[in-house]
Amino acid sequence: MNAAEIKLVQDSFAKVAPISEQAAVIFYDRLFEVAPSVKAMFPADLTEQRKKLMATLAVVVGGLSNLETVLPAASALAKRHVAYGAKPEHYPVVGSTLLWTLEKGLGDAWTPEVASAWTAAYGVLSNFMITEAYGRPQAAE
């Protein structure tokens, strides 16, 4: 990712942060709509899970300009996800759900450039996490 893409991701996430609770609800509602089989991997009460999602996104987005600072945590997270039943093929579904959620949350601020930057950011991170957890990358969308 280049500096312009990182800035687009960080600036757009700053606009989502004030509605983080709502964004997390939208994300999980959409995820369970498009991939109902993954719902069994989550607790019935998603309150804490929603907070964890948004907190993790905040850390990752904040660390994009110095990716090495977030990679150890991303590696650990990827390995924990294996124990929860996550598989490499779940990453593209989560990615498309995240992008869809951001598009809904940002409205007119979701431009082709912002979409491209988020796609790049998710691709870099998800491929790293897949490699850390399973030893092989897989294209993420």
Side-chain angles (χ1 to χ4, degrees):
M1 292 186 69
N2 63 42
E5 289 173 319
I6 291 169
K7 182 165 174 35
L8 283 171
V9 169
Q10 291 175 336
D11 289 352
S12 60
F13 188 72
K15 294 174 186 168
V16 174
I19 58 161
S20 63
E21 281 185 43
Q22 181 184 359
V25 168
I26 292 168
F27 173 84
Y28 284 108
D29 286 352
R30 177 67 173 180
L31 180 62
F32 300 152
E33 178 184 324
V34 299
S37 64
V38 304
K39 190 169 187 176
M41 293 183 221
F42 294 90
D45 182 354
L46 291 172
T47 304
E48 286 305 310
Q49 184 64 37
R50 290 183 195 118
K51 290 176 186 172
K52 287 178 186 177
L53 169 70
M54 298 312 291
T56 301
L57 280 172
V59 168
V60 170
V61 167
L64 284 177
S65 54
N66 189 6
L67 206 51
E68 295 76 28
T69 63
V70 297
L71 292 181
S75 175
L77 182 63
K79 292 169 185 169
R80 281 196 311 273
H81 277 98
V82 173
Y84 303 145
K87 297 183 175 10
E89 58 267 24
H90 292 133
Y91 283 78
V93 175
V94 168
S96 62
T97 301
L98 176 63
L99 296 178
W100 185 89
T101 302
L102 290 164
E103 180 180 3
K104 298 302 173 209
L106 289 168
D108 291 342
W110 183 256
T111 64
E113 295 79 17
V114 171
S116 178
W118 271 98
T119 300
Y122 186 79
V124 167
L125 194 65
S126 66
N127 282 331
F128 172 78
M129 290 176 71
I130 290 167
T131 300
E132 289 293 295
Y134 308 99
R136 59 186 162 83
Q138 174 176 316
E141 297 174 7

mmCIF file of all heavy atoms in Angstrom, residues 28-80:
data_model
loop_
_atom_site.group_PDB
_atom_site.id
_atom_site.type_symbol
_atom_site.label_atom_id
_atom_site.label_comp_id
_atom_site.label_asym_id
_atom_site.label_seq_id
_atom_site.Cartn_x
_atom_site.Cartn_y
_atom_site.Cartn_z
ATOM 1 N N TYR A 28 -22.156 -7.619 11.186
ATOM 2 C CA TYR A 28 -22.522 -8.992 11.567
ATOM 3 C C TYR A 28 -23.865 -9.405 10.982
ATOM 4 O O TYR A 28 -24.034 -10.560 10.583
ATOM 5 C CB TYR A 28 -22.463 -9.183 13.086
ATOM 6 C CG TYR A 28 -21.045 -9.310 13.558
ATOM 7 C CD1 TYR A 28 -20.433 -8.284 14.273
ATOM 8 C CD2 TYR A 28 -20.283 -10.436 13.251
ATOM 9 C CE1 TYR A 28 -19.111 -8.386 14.681
ATOM 10 C CE2 TYR A 28 -18.962 -10.544 13.652
ATOM 11 C CZ TYR A 28 -18.386 -9.514 14.361
ATOM 12 O OH TYR A 28 -17.070 -9.621 14.748
ATOM 13 N N ASP A 29 -24.817 -8.490 10.905
ATOM 14 C CA ASP A 29 -26.091 -8.818 10.255
ATOM 15 C C ASP A 29 -25.851 -9.246 8.809
ATOM 16 O O ASP A 29 -26.404 -10.245 8.343
ATOM 17 C CB ASP A 29 -27.058 -7.631 10.292
ATOM 18 C CG ASP A 29 -27.661 -7.391 11.670
ATOM 19 O OD1 ASP A 29 -27.467 -8.229 12.578
ATOM 20 O OD2 ASP A 29 -28.330 -6.344 11.839
ATOM 21 N N ARG A 30 -25.024 -8.501 8.117
ATOM 22 C CA ARG A 30 -24.719 -8.811 6.718
ATOM 23 C C ARG A 30 -23.924 -10.117 6.603
ATOM 24 O O ARG A 30 -24.200 -10.945 5.731
ATOM 25 C CB ARG A 30 -23.937 -7.653 6.080
ATOM 26 C CG ARG A 30 -23.506 -7.891 4.663
ATOM 27 C CD ARG A 30 -24.686 -7.960 3.719
ATOM 28 N NE ARG A 30 -24.208 -8.034 2.342
ATOM 29 C CZ ARG A 30 -24.974 -8.101 1.300
ATOM 30 N NH1 ARG A 30 -26.294 -8.087 1.442
ATOM 31 N NH2 ARG A 30 -24.482 -8.173 0.089
ATOM 32 N N LEU A 31 -22.937 -10.299 7.473
ATOM 33 C CA LEU A 31 -22.131 -11.519 7.435
ATOM 34 C C LEU A 31 -23.018 -12.754 7.595
ATOM 35 O O LEU A 31 -22.894 -13.718 6.831
ATOM 36 C CB LEU A 31 -21.059 -11.490 8.528
ATOM 37 C CG LEU A 31 -20.144 -12.714 8.586
ATOM 38 C CD1 LEU A 31 -19.336 -12.864 7.296
ATOM 39 C CD2 LEU A 31 -19.218 -12.616 9.794
ATOM 40 N N PHE A 32 -23.927 -12.726 8.542
ATOM 41 C CA PHE A 32 -24.791 -13.881 8.776
ATOM 42 C C PHE A 32 -25.831 -14.051 7.675
ATOM 43 O O PHE A 32 -26.335 -15.152 7.462
ATOM 44 C CB PHE A 32 -25.450 -13.784 10.149
ATOM 45 C CG PHE A 32 -24.455 -13.749 11.292
ATOM 46 C CD1 PHE A 32 -24.776 -13.115 12.474
ATOM 47 C CD2 PHE A 32 -23.200 -14.336 11.184
ATOM 48 C CE1 PHE A 32 -23.874 -13.072 13.542
ATOM 49 C CE2 PHE A 32 -22.281 -14.301 12.236
ATOM 50 C CZ PHE A 32 -22.628 -13.668 13.411
ATOM 51 N N GLU A 33 -26.123 -12.973 6.979
ATOM 52 C CA GLU A 33 -27.039 -13.050 5.833
ATOM 53 C C GLU A 33 -26.352 -13.744 4.651
ATOM 54 O O GLU A 33 -26.941 -14.608 4.016
ATOM 55 C CB GLU A 33 -27.484 -11.636 5.435
ATOM 56 C CG GLU A 33 -28.392 -11.577 4.229
ATOM 57 C CD GLU A 33 -28.699 -10.134 3.833
ATOM 58 O OE1 GLU A 33 -28.841 -9.273 4.727
ATOM 59 O OE2 GLU A 33 -28.797 -9.873 2.621
ATOM 60 N N VAL A 34 -25.111 -13.357 4.363
ATOM 61 C CA VAL A 34 -24.413 -13.913 3.195
ATOM 62 C C VAL A 34 -23.712 -15.232 3.487
ATOM 63 O O VAL A 34 -23.441 -16.005 2.567
ATOM 64 C CB VAL A 34 -23.419 -12.908 2.563
ATOM 65 C CG1 VAL A 34 -24.145 -11.659 2.068
ATOM 66 C CG2 VAL A 34 -22.289 -12.554 3.502
ATOM 67 N N ALA A 35 -23.412 -15.495 4.744
ATOM 68 C CA ALA A 35 -22.725 -16.738 5.127
ATOM 69 C C ALA A 35 -23.331 -17.271 6.423
ATOM 70 O O ALA A 35 -22.683 -17.250 7.477
ATOM 71 C CB ALA A 35 -21.233 -16.484 5.285
ATOM 72 N N PRO A 36 -24.568 -17.751 6.368
ATOM 73 C CA PRO A 36 -25.244 -18.178 7.600
ATOM 74 C C PRO A 36 -24.506 -19.278 8.366
ATOM 75 O O PRO A 36 -24.628 -19.362 9.590
ATOM 76 C CB PRO A 36 -26.618 -18.655 7.127
ATOM 77 C CG PRO A 36 -26.567 -18.706 5.647
ATOM 78 C CD PRO A 36 -25.397 -17.904 5.188
ATOM 79 N N SER A 37 -23.717 -20.061 7.686
ATOM 80 C CA SER A 37 -23.006 -21.158 8.366
ATOM 81 C C SER A 37 -21.975 -20.664 9.374
ATOM 82 O O SER A 37 -21.631 -21.386 10.305
ATOM 83 C CB SER A 37 -22.330 -22.068 7.336
ATOM 84 O OG SER A 37 -21.329 -21.355 6.632
ATOM 85 N N VAL A 38 -21.487 -19.447 9.228
ATOM 86 C CA VAL A 38 -20.471 -18.951 10.164
ATOM 87 C C VAL A 38 -21.076 -18.484 11.491
ATOM 88 O O VAL A 38 -20.340 -18.306 12.461
ATOM 89 C CB VAL A 38 -19.590 -17.823 9.558
ATOM 90 C CG1 VAL A 38 -18.930 -18.278 8.274
ATOM 91 C CG2 VAL A 38 -20.372 -16.548 9.370
ATOM 92 N N LYS A 39 -22.372 -18.315 11.529
ATOM 93 C CA LYS A 39 -23.008 -17.816 12.756
ATOM 94 C C LYS A 39 -22.707 -18.718 13.951
ATOM 95 O O LYS A 39 -22.566 -18.235 15.079
ATOM 96 C CB LYS A 39 -24.514 -17.670 12.558
ATOM 97 C CG LYS A 39 -25.184 -16.935 13.684
ATOM 98 C CD LYS A 39 -26.614 -16.567 13.379
ATOM 99 C CE LYS A 39 -27.141 -15.685 14.489
ATOM 100 N NZ LYS A 39 -28.483 -15.210 14.212
ATOM 101 N N ALA A 40 -22.557 -20.012 13.711
ATOM 102 C CA ALA A 40 -22.278 -20.958 14.792
ATOM 103 C C ALA A 40 -20.916 -20.718 15.447
ATOM 104 O O ALA A 40 -20.675 -21.182 16.560
ATOM 105 C CB ALA A 40 -22.354 -22.384 14.256
ATOM 106 N N MET A 41 -20.029 -19.983 14.777
ATOM 107 C CA MET A 41 -18.707 -19.694 15.332
ATOM 108 C C MET A 41 -18.731 -18.549 16.336
ATOM 109 O O MET A 41 -17.711 -18.267 16.972
ATOM 110 C CB MET A 41 -17.729 -19.314 14.208
ATOM 111 C CG MET A 41 -17.395 -20.422 13.278
ATOM 112 S SD MET A 41 -16.178 -19.820 12.091
ATOM 113 C CE MET A 41 -16.787 -20.556 10.606
ATOM 114 N N PHE A 42 -19.867 -17.895 16.464
ATOM 115 C CA PHE A 42 -19.963 -16.695 17.292
ATOM 116 C C PHE A 42 -20.898 -16.914 18.466
ATOM 117 O O PHE A 42 -21.828 -17.714 18.381
ATOM 118 C CB PHE A 42 -20.468 -15.518 16.441
ATOM 119 C CG PHE A 42 -19.507 -15.101 15.370
ATOM 120 C CD1 PHE A 42 -19.565 -15.667 14.112
ATOM 121 C CD2 PHE A 42 -18.527 -14.152 15.634
ATOM 122 C CE1 PHE A 42 -18.664 -15.293 13.116
ATOM 123 C CE2 PHE A 42 -17.629 -13.777 14.657
ATOM 124 C CZ PHE A 42 -17.702 -14.347 13.399
ATOM 125 N N PRO A 43 -20.694 -16.153 19.545
ATOM 126 C CA PRO A 43 -21.617 -16.250 20.684
ATOM 127 C C PRO A 43 -22.980 -15.674 20.317
ATOM 128 O O PRO A 43 -23.091 -14.854 19.388
ATOM 129 C CB PRO A 43 -20.931 -15.412 21.764
ATOM 130 C CG PRO A 43 -20.055 -14.464 21.016
ATOM 131 C CD PRO A 43 -19.632 -15.182 19.762
ATOM 132 N N ALA A 44 -23.996 -16.108 21.046
ATOM 133 C CA ALA A 44 -25.348 -15.598 20.791
ATOM 134 C C ALA A 44 -25.416 -14.094 21.030
ATOM 135 O O ALA A 44 -26.047 -13.355 20.274
ATOM 136 C CB ALA A 44 -26.361 -16.325 21.663
ATOM 137 N N ASP A 45 -24.750 -13.643 22.078
ATOM 138 C CA ASP A 45 -24.701 -12.214 22.390
ATOM 139 C C ASP A 45 -23.430 -11.643 21.766
ATOM 140 O O ASP A 45 -22.318 -11.951 22.198
ATOM 141 C CB ASP A 45 -24.696 -11.998 23.900
ATOM 142 C CG ASP A 45 -24.688 -10.520 24.286
ATOM 143 O OD1 ASP A 45 -24.573 -9.644 23.394
ATOM 144 O OD2 ASP A 45 -24.790 -10.239 25.503
ATOM 145 N N LEU A 46 -23.598 -10.830 20.752
ATOM 146 C CA LEU A 46 -22.467 -10.293 19.996
ATOM 147 C C LEU A 46 -21.937 -8.967 20.532
ATOM 148 O O LEU A 46 -21.057 -8.371 19.910
ATOM 149 C CB LEU A 46 -22.863 -10.112 18.530
ATOM 150 C CG LEU A 46 -23.077 -11.402 17.745
ATOM 151 C CD1 LEU A 46 -23.659 -11.089 16.370
ATOM 152 C CD2 LEU A 46 -21.771 -12.166 17.600
ATOM 153 N N THR A 47 -22.420 -8.517 21.663
ATOM 154 C CA THR A 47 -22.021 -7.206 22.179
ATOM 155 C C THR A 47 -20.505 -7.074 22.274
ATOM 156 O O THR A 47 -19.923 -6.117 21.743
ATOM 157 C CB THR A 47 -22.675 -6.947 23.551
ATOM 158 O OG1 THR A 47 -24.087 -7.084 23.414
ATOM 159 C CG2 THR A 47 -22.344 -5.556 24.047
ATOM 160 N N GLU A 48 -19.855 -8.017 22.946
ATOM 161 C CA GLU A 48 -18.396 -7.946 23.099
ATOM 162 C C GLU A 48 -17.686 -8.171 21.773
ATOM 163 O O GLU A 48 -16.663 -7.544 21.499
ATOM 164 C CB GLU A 48 -17.911 -8.956 24.148
ATOM 165 C CG GLU A 48 -18.229 -8.551 25.567
ATOM 166 C CD GLU A 48 -17.690 -7.170 25.926
ATOM 167 O OE1 GLU A 48 -16.505 -6.887 25.680
ATOM 168 O OE2 GLU A 48 -18.477 -6.354 26.453
ATOM 169 N N GLN A 49 -18.209 -9.070 20.961
ATOM 170 C CA GLN A 49 -17.608 -9.353 19.660
ATOM 171 C C GLN A 49 -17.606 -8.101 18.778
ATOM 172 O O GLN A 49 -16.636 -7.820 18.085
ATOM 173 C CB GLN A 49 -18.365 -10.496 18.971
ATOM 174 C CG GLN A 49 -17.753 -10.930 17.663
ATOM 175 C CD GLN A 49 -16.372 -11.522 17.832
ATOM 176 O OE1 GLN A 49 -16.100 -12.218 18.798
ATOM 177 N NE2 GLN A 49 -15.485 -11.230 16.891
ATOM 178 N N ARG A 50 -18.689 -7.359 18.795
ATOM 179 C CA ARG A 50 -18.772 -6.116 18.012
ATOM 180 C C ARG A 50 -17.716 -5.119 18.473
ATOM 181 O O ARG A 50 -17.064 -4.471 17.646
ATOM 182 C CB ARG A 50 -20.165 -5.506 18.144
ATOM 183 C CG ARG A 50 -21.246 -6.292 17.450
ATOM 184 C CD ARG A 50 -22.591 -5.577 17.575
ATOM 185 N NE ARG A 50 -23.672 -6.461 17.234
ATOM 186 C CZ ARG A 50 -24.644 -6.822 18.072
ATOM 187 N NH1 ARG A 50 -24.700 -6.335 19.299
ATOM 188 N NH2 ARG A 50 -25.584 -7.646 17.672
ATOM 189 N N LYS A 51 -17.540 -5.011 19.794
ATOM 190 C CA LYS A 51 -16.525 -4.098 20.324
ATOM 191 C C LYS A 51 -15.128 -4.541 19.895
ATOM 192 O O LYS A 51 -14.291 -3.719 19.527
ATOM 193 C CB LYS A 51 -16.612 -4.038 21.855
ATOM 194 C CG LYS A 51 -17.853 -3.332 22.371
ATOM 195 C CD LYS A 51 -17.917 -3.385 23.880
ATOM 196 C CE LYS A 51 -19.224 -2.799 24.388
ATOM 197 N NZ LYS A 51 -19.388 -2.999 25.831
ATOM 198 N N LYS A 52 -14.873 -5.854 19.956
ATOM 199 C CA LYS A 52 -13.570 -6.389 19.557
ATOM 200 C C LYS A 52 -13.298 -6.111 18.079
ATOM 201 O O LYS A 52 -12.179 -5.761 17.706
ATOM 202 C CB LYS A 52 -13.503 -7.895 19.813
ATOM 203 C CG LYS A 52 -13.396 -8.256 21.266
ATOM 204 C CD LYS A 52 -13.376 -9.770 21.431
ATOM 205 C CE LYS A 52 -13.406 -10.176 22.886
ATOM 206 N NZ LYS A 52 -13.455 -11.641 23.040
ATOM 207 N N LEU A 53 -14.312 -6.291 17.249
ATOM 208 C CA LEU A 53 -14.156 -6.030 15.816
ATOM 209 C C LEU A 53 -13.721 -4.595 15.578
ATOM 210 O O LEU A 53 -12.733 -4.338 14.879
ATOM 211 C CB LEU A 53 -15.466 -6.304 15.065
ATOM 212 C CG LEU A 53 -15.488 -5.822 13.610
ATOM 213 C CD1 LEU A 53 -14.565 -6.657 12.740
ATOM 214 C CD2 LEU A 53 -16.917 -5.831 13.068
ATOM 215 N N MET A 54 -14.427 -3.658 16.152
ATOM 216 C CA MET A 54 -14.136 -2.253 15.907
ATOM 217 C C MET A 54 -12.808 -1.840 16.534
ATOM 218 O O MET A 54 -12.060 -1.057 15.949
ATOM 219 C CB MET A 54 -15.286 -1.376 16.392
ATOM 220 C CG MET A 54 -16.610 -1.636 15.659
ATOM 221 S SD MET A 54 -16.517 -1.697 13.837
ATOM 222 C CE MET A 54 -16.159 -0.003 13.455
ATOM 223 N N ALA A 55 -12.486 -2.397 17.693
ATOM 224 C CA ALA A 55 -11.199 -2.090 18.324
ATOM 225 C C ALA A 55 -10.046 -2.637 17.484
ATOM 226 O O ALA A 55 -9.025 -1.959 17.303
ATOM 227 C CB ALA A 55 -11.152 -2.669 19.737
ATOM 228 N N THR A 56 -10.207 -3.835 16.963
ATOM 229 C CA THR A 56 -9.169 -4.432 16.113
ATOM 230 C C THR A 56 -8.994 -3.620 14.836
ATOM 231 O O THR A 56 -7.862 -3.342 14.425
ATOM 232 C CB THR A 56 -9.518 -5.894 15.788
ATOM 233 O OG1 THR A 56 -9.620 -6.623 17.016
ATOM 234 C CG2 THR A 56 -8.475 -6.533 14.894
ATOM 235 N N LEU A 57 -10.100 -3.239 14.227
ATOM 236 C CA LEU A 57 -10.012 -2.406 13.019
ATOM 237 C C LEU A 57 -9.296 -1.094 13.321
ATOM 238 O O LEU A 57 -8.465 -0.645 12.528
ATOM 239 C CB LEU A 57 -11.406 -2.120 12.454
ATOM 240 C CG LEU A 57 -12.033 -3.227 11.626
ATOM 241 C CD1 LEU A 57 -13.481 -2.892 11.302
ATOM 242 C CD2 LEU A 57 -11.240 -3.469 10.358
ATOM 243 N N ALA A 58 -9.606 -0.495 14.454
ATOM 244 C CA ALA A 58 -8.965 0.772 14.814
ATOM 245 C C ALA A 58 -7.455 0.605 14.952
ATOM 246 O O ALA A 58 -6.680 1.443 14.464
ATOM 247 C CB ALA A 58 -9.561 1.315 16.116
ATOM 248 N N VAL A 59 -7.020 -0.478 15.582
ATOM 249 C CA VAL A 59 -5.588 -0.724 15.749
ATOM 250 C C VAL A 59 -4.926 -0.954 14.392
ATOM 251 O O VAL A 59 -3.871 -0.382 14.093
ATOM 252 C CB VAL A 59 -5.343 -1.929 16.692
ATOM 253 C CG1 VAL A 59 -3.898 -2.380 16.645
ATOM 254 C CG2 VAL A 59 -5.744 -1.561 18.109
ATOM 255 N N VAL A 60 -5.535 -1.785 13.580
ATOM 256 C CA VAL A 60 -4.952 -2.099 12.267
ATOM 257 C C VAL A 60 -4.901 -0.855 11.385
ATOM 258 O O VAL A 60 -3.867 -0.549 10.794
ATOM 259 C CB VAL A 60 -5.735 -3.230 11.577
ATOM 260 C CG1 VAL A 60 -5.302 -3.404 10.134
ATOM 261 C CG2 VAL A 60 -5.560 -4.543 12.344
ATOM 262 N N VAL A 61 -6.002 -0.137 11.305
ATOM 263 C CA VAL A 61 -6.042 1.073 10.477
ATOM 264 C C VAL A 61 -5.009 2.081 10.975
ATOM 265 O O VAL A 61 -4.284 2.684 10.186
ATOM 266 C CB VAL A 61 -7.469 1.673 10.455
ATOM 267 C CG1 VAL A 61 -7.473 3.077 9.869
ATOM 268 C CG2 VAL A 61 -8.400 0.764 9.663
ATOM 269 N N GLY A 62 -4.925 2.234 12.280
ATOM 270 C CA GLY A 62 -3.943 3.156 12.844
ATOM 271 C C GLY A 62 -2.511 2.741 12.577
ATOM 272 O O GLY A 62 -1.615 3.585 12.490
ATOM 273 N N GLY A 63 -2.281 1.452 12.422
ATOM 274 C CA GLY A 63 -0.932 0.944 12.203
ATOM 275 C C GLY A 63 -0.542 0.725 10.762
ATOM 276 O O GLY A 63 0.552 0.224 10.483
ATOM 277 N N LEU A 64 -1.405 1.085 9.834
ATOM 278 C CA LEU A 64 -1.107 0.829 8.420
ATOM 279 C C LEU A 64 0.175 1.501 7.940
ATOM 280 O O LEU A 64 0.866 0.949 7.086
ATOM 281 C CB LEU A 64 -2.275 1.267 7.529
ATOM 282 C CG LEU A 64 -3.481 0.350 7.503
ATOM 283 C CD1 LEU A 64 -4.580 0.954 6.643
ATOM 284 C CD2 LEU A 64 -3.116 -1.049 7.019
ATOM 285 N N SER A 65 0.481 2.664 8.472
ATOM 286 C CA SER A 65 1.684 3.353 8.021
ATOM 287 C C SER A 65 2.955 2.722 8.589
ATOM 288 O O SER A 65 4.053 3.025 8.132
ATOM 289 C CB SER A 65 1.623 4.847 8.354
ATOM 290 O OG SER A 65 1.369 5.017 9.722
ATOM 291 N N ASN A 66 2.801 1.856 9.562
ATOM 292 C CA ASN A 66 3.926 1.123 10.135
ATOM 293 C C ASN A 66 3.445 -0.305 10.394
ATOM 294 O O ASN A 66 3.281 -0.724 11.541
ATOM 295 C CB ASN A 66 4.407 1.803 11.424
ATOM 296 C CG ASN A 66 5.705 1.212 11.920
ATOM 297 O OD1 ASN A 66 6.317 0.370 11.265
ATOM 298 N ND2 ASN A 66 6.124 1.637 13.094
ATOM 299 N N LEU A 67 3.192 -1.021 9.311
ATOM 300 C CA LEU A 67 2.548 -2.327 9.364
ATOM 301 C C LEU A 67 3.232 -3.316 10.302
ATOM 302 O O LEU A 67 2.572 -4.137 10.933
ATOM 303 C CB LEU A 67 2.464 -2.904 7.947
ATOM 304 C CG LEU A 67 1.363 -3.894 7.661
ATOM 305 C CD1 LEU A 67 0.004 -3.373 8.087
ATOM 306 C CD2 LEU A 67 1.358 -4.269 6.202
ATOM 307 N N GLU A 68 4.538 -3.210 10.426
ATOM 308 C CA GLU A 68 5.269 -4.143 11.291
ATOM 309 C C GLU A 68 4.780 -4.098 12.731
ATOM 310 O O GLU A 68 4.927 -5.066 13.471
ATOM 311 C CB GLU A 68 6.778 -3.854 11.251
ATOM 312 C CG GLU A 68 7.426 -4.077 9.906
ATOM 313 C CD GLU A 68 7.127 -2.966 8.889
ATOM 314 O OE1 GLU A 68 6.898 -1.808 9.312
ATOM 315 O OE2 GLU A 68 7.086 -3.271 7.693
ATOM 316 N N THR A 69 4.175 -2.982 13.129
ATOM 317 C CA THR A 69 3.687 -2.864 14.505
ATOM 318 C C THR A 69 2.421 -3.685 14.732
ATOM 319 O O THR A 69 2.138 -4.044 15.882
ATOM 320 C CB THR A 69 3.408 -1.395 14.883
ATOM 321 O OG1 THR A 69 2.365 -0.887 14.049
ATOM 322 C CG2 THR A 69 4.647 -0.540 14.752
ATOM 323 N N VAL A 70 1.652 -3.971 13.683
ATOM 324 C CA VAL A 70 0.397 -4.715 13.857
ATOM 325 C C VAL A 70 0.502 -6.172 13.423
ATOM 326 O O VAL A 70 -0.360 -6.975 13.754
ATOM 327 C CB VAL A 70 -0.786 -4.033 13.140
ATOM 328 C CG1 VAL A 70 -1.061 -2.664 13.729
ATOM 329 C CG2 VAL A 70 -0.579 -3.955 11.653
ATOM 330 N N LEU A 71 1.558 -6.534 12.710
ATOM 331 C CA LEU A 71 1.658 -7.899 12.200
ATOM 332 C C LEU A 71 1.735 -8.969 13.291
ATOM 333 O O LEU A 71 1.090 -10.019 13.151
ATOM 334 C CB LEU A 71 2.815 -8.028 11.214
ATOM 335 C CG LEU A 71 2.624 -7.264 9.894
ATOM 336 C CD1 LEU A 71 3.813 -7.483 8.974
ATOM 337 C CD2 LEU A 71 1.319 -7.631 9.205
ATOM 338 N N PRO A 72 2.471 -8.756 14.385
ATOM 339 C CA PRO A 72 2.464 -9.792 15.431
ATOM 340 C C PRO A 72 1.059 -10.054 15.987
ATOM 341 O O PRO A 72 0.669 -11.210 16.182
ATOM 342 C CB PRO A 72 3.403 -9.238 16.499
ATOM 343 C CG PRO A 72 4.320 -8.328 15.739
ATOM 344 C CD PRO A 72 3.451 -7.698 14.677
ATOM 345 N N ALA A 73 0.302 -9.014 16.230
ATOM 346 C CA ALA A 73 -1.064 -9.179 16.737
ATOM 347 C C ALA A 73 -1.951 -9.834 15.678
ATOM 348 O O ALA A 73 -2.807 -10.674 15.999
ATOM 349 C CB ALA A 73 -1.640 -7.834 17.157
ATOM 350 N N ALA A 74 -1.762 -9.466 14.416
ATOM 351 C CA ALA A 74 -2.537 -10.075 13.333
ATOM 352 C C ALA A 74 -2.229 -11.560 13.208
ATOM 353 O O ALA A 74 -3.122 -12.379 12.971
ATOM 354 C CB ALA A 74 -2.262 -9.358 12.016
ATOM 355 N N SER A 75 -0.974 -11.922 13.393
ATOM 356 C CA SER A 75 -0.575 -13.329 13.356
ATOM 357 C C SER A 75 -1.255 -14.109 14.476
ATOM 358 O O SER A 75 -1.822 -15.188 14.250
ATOM 359 C CB SER A 75 0.943 -13.442 13.472
ATOM 360 O OG SER A 75 1.329 -14.802 13.546
ATOM 361 N N ALA A 76 -1.217 -13.567 15.677
ATOM 362 C CA ALA A 76 -1.852 -14.235 16.820
ATOM 363 C C ALA A 76 -3.357 -14.364 16.612
ATOM 364 O O ALA A 76 -3.953 -15.407 16.900
ATOM 365 C CB ALA A 76 -1.551 -13.467 18.105
ATOM 366 N N LEU A 77 -3.969 -13.312 16.095
ATOM 367 C CA LEU A 77 -5.403 -13.327 15.823
ATOM 368 C C LEU A 77 -5.741 -14.399 14.786
ATOM 369 O O LEU A 77 -6.701 -15.158 14.949
ATOM 370 C CB LEU A 77 -5.859 -11.947 15.335
ATOM 371 C CG LEU A 77 -7.344 -11.775 15.037
ATOM 372 C CD1 LEU A 77 -8.180 -11.963 16.294
ATOM 373 C CD2 LEU A 77 -7.594 -10.393 14.441
ATOM 374 N N ALA A 78 -4.950 -14.485 13.744
ATOM 375 C CA ALA A 78 -5.182 -15.485 12.697
ATOM 376 C C ALA A 78 -5.130 -16.894 13.268
ATOM 377 O O ALA A 78 -5.975 -17.738 12.945
ATOM 378 C CB ALA A 78 -4.145 -15.324 11.593
ATOM 379 N N LYS A 79 -4.170 -17.136 14.122
ATOM 380 C CA LYS A 79 -4.022 -18.469 14.716
ATOM 381 C C LYS A 79 -5.180 -18.778 15.666
ATOM 382 O O LYS A 79 -5.652 -19.914 15.720
ATOM 383 C CB LYS A 79 -2.663 -18.583 15.401
ATOM 384 C CG LYS A 79 -1.529 -18.575 14.376
ATOM 385 C CD LYS A 79 -0.169 -18.431 15.003
ATOM 386 C CE LYS A 79 0.893 -18.308 13.900
ATOM 387 N NZ LYS A 79 2.188 -17.910 14.419
ATOM 388 N N ARG A 80 -5.658 -17.769 16.392
ATOM 389 C CA ARG A 80 -6.830 -17.979 17.261
ATOM 390 C C ARG A 80 -8.065 -18.296 16.429
ATOM 391 O O ARG A 80 -8.902 -19.105 16.829
ATOM 392 C CB ARG A 80 -7.086 -16.750 18.133
ATOM 393 C CG ARG A 80 -6.173 -16.642 19.328
ATOM 394 C CD ARG A 80 -6.682 -15.652 20.375
ATOM 395 N NE ARG A 80 -7.083 -14.358 19.869
ATOM 396 C CZ ARG A 80 -6.262 -13.319 19.687
ATOM 397 N NH1 ARG A 80 -4.972 -13.427 19.964
ATOM 398 N NH2 ARG A 80 -6.726 -12.166 19.241
#
